[in-house]
């Protein structure tokens, strides 16, 4: 009986291993949401991208804050802003994603993230500003580990702004829901 019970009680069960030092996060995601307040309140956002991340540390920290640090890069080949005056189509690169993945022995792995990058669109976003913008974001989310792949769900706040390269810089603030599928690769054995 213990042989049947052991795989269920072992950390990660039959799920893929979670994040570990020296491993990578590889995945694709899509997200969308709406602008909040001011000039962006009538703006919708949809984007699609891919992620490559490096898990840099073993679990660190005390108690509930214990976790691993990951650095990641997102390529965003599809970024649409549905705004008054017409849809802006664009692409972006987020070379800065700093992620704290909480340490857990369950199939659900929570995380928090801060990131930023650049966004280039075919028309000014918002209208009357610039086609080149910068993005910064904060997210809280959860990885759901499976046998071969994991699912990710998160809530993300994103600010889009030209940082003053145009005389008008009202910015766009959005709340988005992002869903993804990916995997964590194993760290190198020493």
């Amino acid at each position: 009986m213990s042989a049947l019970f052991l795989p269920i009680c072992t950390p990660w069960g039959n799920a893929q291993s979670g994040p570990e030092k020296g491993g990578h996060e590889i995945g694709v995601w899509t997200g969308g949401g709406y602008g909040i307040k001011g000039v962006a309140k009538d703006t919708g956002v949809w984007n699609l991208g891919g992620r490559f991340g490096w898990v840099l540390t073993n679990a660190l920290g005390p108690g509930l804050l214990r976790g691993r640090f990951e650095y990641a890069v997102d390529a965003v080949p599809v970024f649409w802003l549905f705004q008054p005056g017409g849809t802006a189509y664009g692409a972006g690169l987020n070379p800065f994603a700093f992620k704290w993945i909480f340490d857990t022995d369950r199939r659900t792995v929570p995380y928090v993230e801060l990131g930023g990058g650049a966004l280039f669109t075919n028309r000014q976003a918002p209208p009357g500003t610039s086609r080149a913008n910068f993005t910064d974001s904060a997210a809280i989310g959860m990885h759901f580990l499976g046998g071969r792949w994991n699912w990710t769900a998160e809530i993300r706040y994103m600010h889009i702004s030209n940082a003053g390269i145009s005389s008008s810089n009202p910015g766009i603030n959005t709340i988005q829901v992002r869903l993804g599928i990916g995997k964590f690769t194993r760290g190198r054995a020493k």
Side-chain angles (χ1 to χ4, degrees), residues 66-81:
R66 186 172 176 79
R68 291 171 176 80
F69 181 68
E70 177 185 338
Y71 169 77
V73 174
D74 286 336
V76 190
V78 178
F79 201 114
W80 292 354
L81 288 152

Side-chain angles (χ1 to χ4, degrees), residues 16-178:
Q16 69 169 288
S17 67
E20 58 184 55
K21 181 179 179 180
H24 299 284
E25 179 185 4
I26 303 166
V28 294
W29 51 263
T30 186
Y34 288 95
I36 54 174
K37 296 174 108 182
V39 69
K41 69 179 177 165
D42 294 325
T43 301
V45 175
W46 179 72
N47 47 49
L48 173 71
R51 167 165 287 194
F52 189 83
W54 295 264
V55 181
L56 300 177
T57 67
N58 287 317
L60 305 168
L64 293 175
L65 298 178
R66 186 172 176 79
R68 291 171 176 80
F69 181 68
E70 177 185 338
Y71 169 77
V73 174
D74 286 336
V76 190
V78 178
F79 201 114
W80 292 354
L81 288 152
F82 305 97
Q83 60 186 3
T87 301
Y89 302 97
L93 179 66
N94 300 327
F96 306 108
F98 303 106
K99 187 173 182 179
W100 187 255
I101 307 167
F102 293 95
D103 191 33
T104 177
D105 62 356
R106 299 184 187 141
R107 289 181 149 195
T108 55
V109 182
Y111 64 88
V112 294
E113 179 180 314
L114 296 173
L119 171 64
F120 303 95
T121 54
N122 68 327
R123 62 175 39 181
Q124 296 171 339
T129 61
S130 176
R131 294 179 354 160
N133 284 286
F134 300 95
T135 61
D136 55 322
S137 62
I140 58 171
M142 187 82 67
H143 291 292
F144 301 94
L145 301 178
R148 182 175 166 102
W149 302 97
N150 70 63
W151 291 94
T152 303
E154 69 180 35
I155 301 293
R156 177 173 293 268
Y157 165 82
M158 179 179 284
H159 175 74
I160 302 168
S161 168
N162 66 43
I165 59 175
S166 170
S167 60
S168 178
N169 184 24
I172 300 171
N173 296 308
T174 66
I175 298 291
Q176 301 177 32
V177 173
R178 184 182 281 187

